Amino acid sequence: MRIDILTLFPGMFSGPFSDSILKRAVEKGLVEIHLHNIRDYSLDKHKRVDDYPFGGGAGMVMMIEPVHRAIEALKSQRNYDLVIYTSPDGERFNQKLANRFSTFNNILILCGHYKGVDERIREHLIDMEISIGDYVLTGGELAAAVIADAVVRLVPGVLNDETSALSDSFQDNLLSPPVYTRPADYKGWKVPDILLTGHEAKIKEWRYEQALERTRQRRPELLQGSSEGEN
Ligand code: ADE
């Protein structure tokens, strides 16, 4: 899988992509993540990428030309399964979308900034707008990093124990059950006895009950299969 990210701030990705699982996935050759600075595609002599909004109003708007040139340059090199724009107005990102995106070969993500992008970019150059939640970030970079992280970990081979992605919270509309490790008794705070019995079937049943109860208490809408909780 290859993910291309168009951004005005490539430096914002150095943290999330240079550590741990994402870094290893790239090193193992399972995924490629390429950052592209939209400014490099500006024809303006000052490398301008934003301008005042027509009709007035606060904030700057990202111009269409550098974004169009960047997307065209990338599209001339490969076919993209999906071109995403990260925006608080977009469809809410969830595990179901992460699962779908993880089956793609090439994804292009455009990170918005300032007051937004010229609407013609959204109309003509984007397949899907994605929001990671009902709050406004300073830009789409953190959203793109979240999407990339959630998708990359589902690519076969990225996680050491492949079953661990299948047993994630949300994969079956349930939150994960509690987990414990040594010591079995920490200053009187004890691990549930059942987990120490070695009885696999009973432990499985206990975990399922716990997951169900936790979901009932914390995210009941997941059990009702509402669109909010659907995956
Ligand atoms: N850009 C700014 N806020 C955002 C959000 N919540 N999701 C995706 N992109 C964003």
Side-chain angles (χ1 to χ4, degrees):
M1 157 177 282
R2 175 178 169 127
I3 301 177
D4 288 277
I5 299 177
L6 288 174
T7 171
L8 290 172
F9 300 97
M12 282 185 75
F13 294 90
S14 53
F17 292 170
S18 58
D19 255 318
S20 183
I21 291 173
L22 285 199
K23 183 181 177 198
R24 253 185 291 128
V26 171
E27 283 170 356
K28 281 200 227 165
L30 297 168
V31 292
E32 289 180 41
I33 299 176
H34 296 268
L35 301 169
H36 309 272
N37 194 331
I38 297 166
R39 212 172 283 283
D40 294 341
Y41 294 88
S42 170
L43 291 174
D44 180 85
K45 68 172 186 263
H46 302 296
K47 296 279 172 206
R48 263 193 102 146
V49 288
D50 62 314
D51 211 333
Y52 296 98
F54 278 127
M60 303 295 274
V61 177
M62 268 166 74
M63 300 160 84
I64 190 168
E65 189 179 54
V67 172
H68 190 205
R69 293 186 74 240
I71 291 178
E72 285 303 300
L74 289 167
K75 278 188 167 175
S76 72
Q77 290 163 32
R78 70 197 59 78
N79 288 324
Y80 286 92
D81 299 288
L82 192 67
V83 180
I84 295 170
Y85 169 57
T86 52
S87 156
D89 312 347
E91 181 172 340
R92 185 92 60 83
F93 190 57
N94 59 18
Q95 193 63 39
K96 184 182 177 190
L97 288 176
N99 290 345
R100 174 140 68 89
F101 297 172
S102 73
T103 66
F104 293 160
N105 292 322
N106 297 304
I107 299 173
L108 177 52
I109 307 179
L110 169 66
C111 303
H113 237 279
Y114 307 119
K115 199 67 197 159
V117 296
D118 188 306
E119 187 66 18
R120 291 165 292 184
I121 294 173
R122 299 165 74 162
E123 281 170 11
H124 301 292
L125 306 179
I126 299 298
D127 300 323
M128 189 172 191
E129 302 191 8
I130 298 277
S131 164
I132 61 161
D134 288 343
Y135 40 81
V136 180
L137 302 165
T138 54
E141 281 74 13
L142 293 174
V146 165
I147 295 165
D149 187 290
V151 170
V152 164
R153 65 189 289 286
L154 297 172
V155 171
V158 168
L159 296 182
N160 291 333
D161 176 3
E162 274 208 43
T163 58
S164 69
L166 293 176
S167 61
D168 282 344
S169 281
F170 302 114
Q171 282 298 13
D172 44 11
N173 267 347
L174 291 178
L175 301 182
S176 292
V179 292
Y180 300 85
T181 187
R182 287 183 298 169
D185 183 342
Y186 179 71
K187 298 180 194 288
W189 296 338
K190 295 201 176 100
V191 167
D193 289 338
I194 178 79
L195 296 176
L196 309 175
T197 60
H199 196 302
E200 239 177 79
K202 284 211 169 120
I203 291 173
K204 198 168 168 202
E205 194 184 312
W206 180 86
R207 287 192 169 133
Y208 178 72
E209 286 303 323
Q210 291 287 316
L212 205 58
E213 188 50 33
R214 183 164 278 197
T215 310
R216 234 181 247 132
Q217 281 176 9
R218 300 183 183 193
R219 298 290 304 277
E221 80 281 5
L222 289 176
L223 297 172
Q224 282 144 25
S226 69
S227 61
E228 173 74 355
E230 218 175 67
N231 80 59

